[in-house]
């Protein structure tokens, strides 16, 4: 089901709201811009929860950090080439500035900063880091950064890989570049973007659709959701990939490549109604069999297979070889997963009705999509 109409309505509504209160009559008094912005209650609550602070402590820390931010710019100018970096000291609630030249200390202190003397300037440490950036790091090296407090490049390695030959060789090359310190971490970092999960939303242009099934290299979905070459964003707004192939009408299928920290997962979301479902294959269920659908608008709903190889005549043109079901769906569910047990069935195309009053929905069989593009279903 396409959501172009819904998306345009939302944009029009947003535009209408944006126009409310504009013009001279709605202008705020000039004194309002000079007022101190109020602290977000949500931010203060999060600081209290995550940093173990009281309400007054959270407000005081924010004020001190704001002051330190302003001081840092002045202190850096006063230090000149002797600047070795700076950091906010939680205990003193002040900015500390590292200097390589004691003669600059008074000028830096006059800005409101504390001073400590070090051997290496920030410029030198940045140069060392650039050299290390040019090295090929093994998996056991998780990260590295300039640490002004240590006056070194801190290289983080996974503790279990500390003695690995490749890790040791990397550290030797890093030491040749300049001063480093090695710290251990428990695990290697991984991207926090989510895997592509059946039923999850994605966005292209002003359209929201749903992921069908993960395949090796991407996922399959409905063709009417986007044309080949269109960029795709995930539920968090980050770039997932690009439509590599798309057909609509005639057919209603497409596939999207996955990258930018996203990966494929053989799972269909249960949305809390049922446990998330593993996908183990794509054996086609017979007419009369139960089938369930997962989508980003109406989540998880079930019904029965009513017919196969049905031609559906949409206003945009006929679509062939569709499977008709008694499962309801609504705009935004397009492209989402139809699954029977642990077997992938197809991607949601269109239908009639809704999930309040009932209706029927058609899906494009997944095996046809896999065969058309030479894709391999990602299975558990």
């Amino acid at each position: 089901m396409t959501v172009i109409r819904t998306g345009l309505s939302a944009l029009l509504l947003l535009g209408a709201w944006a126009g409310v209160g504009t013009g001279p009559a709605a202008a705020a008094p000039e004194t309002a811009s000079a007022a101190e912005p109020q602290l977000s209650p949500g931010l203060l609550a999060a600081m209290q929860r995550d940093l173990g602070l009281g309400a007054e402590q959270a407000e005081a820390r924010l004020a001190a950090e704001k002051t330190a931010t302003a001081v840092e710019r002045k202190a850096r100018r006063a230090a000149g080439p002797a600047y070795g970096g700076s950091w906010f000291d939680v205990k003193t609630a002040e900015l500390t500035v590292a200097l390589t030249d004691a003669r600059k200390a008074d000028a830096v202190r006059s800005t409101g900063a504390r001073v400590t003397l070090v051997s290496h300037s920030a410029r030198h440490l940045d140069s060392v880091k650039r050299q290390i950036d040019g090295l090929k790091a093994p998996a056991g090296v998780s990260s590295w950064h300039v640490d002004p407090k240590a006056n070194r490049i801190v290289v983080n390695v996974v503790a279990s890989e500390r003695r690995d030959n490749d890790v040791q060789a990397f550290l030797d090359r890093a030491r040749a570049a300049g001063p480093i310190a090695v710290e251990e971490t428990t695990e290697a970092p991984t991207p926090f973007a989510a895997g592509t999960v059946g039923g999850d939303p994605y966005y292209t242009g002003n359209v929201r659709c749903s992921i069908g099934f993960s395949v090796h290299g991407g996922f399959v979905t409905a063709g009417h959701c986007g044309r080949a070459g269109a960029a795709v964003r995930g539920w968090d707004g980050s770039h997932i990939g690009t439509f590599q192939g798309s057909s609509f009408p005639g057919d209603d299928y497409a596939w999207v490549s996955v990258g930018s920290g996203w990966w494929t997962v053989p799972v269909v979301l249960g949305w809390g109604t049922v446990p998330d479902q593993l996908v183990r294959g794509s054996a086609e269920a017979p007419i009369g069999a139960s089938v369930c659908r997962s989508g980003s608008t109406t989540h998880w709903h079930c019904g029965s297979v009513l017919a196969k190889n049905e031609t559906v005549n949409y206003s945009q043109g006929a679509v062939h070889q569709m499977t008709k079901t008694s499962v309801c769906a609504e705009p935004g569910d397009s492209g989402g997963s139809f699954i029977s047990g642990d077997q992938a069935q197809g991607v949601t195309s269109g239908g009639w009705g809704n999930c309040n009053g009932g209706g029927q929905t058609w899906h494009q069989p997944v095996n046809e999509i896999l065969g058309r593009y030479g894709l391999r279903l990602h299975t558990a």
Side-chain angles (χ1 to χ4, degrees):
M1 294 180 175
T2 183
V3 294
I4 293 176
R5 181 181 64 220
T6 304
L8 289 176
S9 298
L11 289 175
L12 289 171
L13 180 60
L14 179 62
W17 277 40
V20 175
T22 58
E30 292 183 5
T31 54
S33 61
E36 189 71 21
Q38 298 220 341
L39 296 174
S40 162
L43 172 61
L44 292 173
M47 291 181 69
Q48 292 175 64
R49 179 195 66 210
D50 297 335
L51 299 176
L53 303 174
E56 292 184 0
Q57 290 175 312
E59 291 188 24
R61 179 157 174 175
L62 285 172
E65 290 169 348
K66 182 178 180 181
T67 299
T69 300
V71 167
E72 194 277 337
R73 292 190 293 268
K74 299 175 184 175
R76 187 164 191 155
R77 287 195 297 269
Y83 181 72
S86 61
W87 60 93
F88 178 75
D89 191 319
V90 175
K91 292 182 179 179
T92 65
E94 292 178 302
L95 183 79
T96 299
V97 174
L99 291 176
T100 59
D101 187 346
R103 292 173 295 181
K104 295 286 187 177
D106 288 342
V108 171
R109 289 192 186 99
S110 70
T111 67
R114 294 166 65 93
V115 168
T116 186
L117 296 178
V118 295
S119 301
H120 308 290
S121 69
R123 183 178 299 174
H124 174 65
L125 293 177
D126 288 342
S127 175
V128 172
K129 182 181 177 294
R130 282 195 294 271
Q131 293 180 61
I132 298 176
D133 288 344
L135 304 176
K136 182 174 177 57
V141 177
S142 63
S143 63
W144 55 92
H145 66 279
V146 173
D147 186 336
K149 201 169 185 178
N151 201 225
R152 295 259 188 292
I153 309 298
V154 171
V155 180
N156 294 289
V157 301
V158 179
S160 60
E161 302 292 328
R162 178 71 180 264
R163 303 304 174 192
D164 179 79
N165 289 337
D166 291 339
V167 171
Q168 289 300 313
F170 177 88
L171 294 176
D172 288 342
R173 292 193 294 271
R175 290 188 183 96
I180 72 166
V182 180
E183 295 184 359
E184 294 184 352
T185 184
T186 305
E187 297 181 33
T190 59
F192 279 129
T196 56
V197 179
D200 235 349
Y202 69 88
Y203 302 85
T204 179
N206 64 346
V207 173
R208 171 172 59 83
C209 281
S210 301
I211 292 170
F213 295 94
S214 287
V215 297
H216 290 273
F219 64 85
V220 294
T221 187
H224 71 260
C225 290
R227 296 303 183 197
V232 174
R233 306 184 308 280
W235 60 267
D236 62 352
S238 68
H239 179 74
I240 293 180
T242 306
F243 276 86
Q244 297 297 317
S246 178
S247 179
F248 179 79
D251 309 296
D252 194 5
Y253 49 60
W255 85 279
V256 175
S257 61
V258 166
S260 303
W262 291 72
W263 65 95
T264 60
V265 181
V267 170
V268 171
L269 283 179
W271 296 100
T273 304
V274 298
D276 293 347
Q277 303 293 295
L278 289 174
V279 178
R280 299 190 185 278
S282 58
E284 188 173 336
I287 293 174
S290 64
V291 66
C292 297
R293 181 193 54 72
S294 182
S296 61
T297 299
T298 58
H299 298 171
W300 185 269
H301 288 274
C302 299
S304 301
V305 176
L306 300 178
K308 295 185 180 183
N309 194 24
E310 186 161 17
T311 296
V312 182
N313 190 32
Y314 295 131
S315 61
Q316 298 94 333
V319 178
H320 309 285
Q321 297 180 317
M322 302 281 276
T323 297
K324 181 166 67 175
T325 76
S326 63
V327 186
C328 69
E330 294 180 12
D333 288 328
S334 284
S337 324
F338 265 89
I339 188 168
S340 181
D342 58 7
Q343 299 296 304
Q345 297 299 303
V347 300
T348 306
S349 173
W352 59 267
N354 56 51
C355 287
N356 290 322
Q360 294 179 342
T361 304
W362 286 263
H363 69 72
Q364 184 86 69
V366 69
N367 287 330
E368 181 182 357
I369 309 171
L370 299 176
R372 168 64 178 82
Y373 296 116
L375 301 170
R376 187 157 58 97
L377 188 68
H378 191 167
T379 56

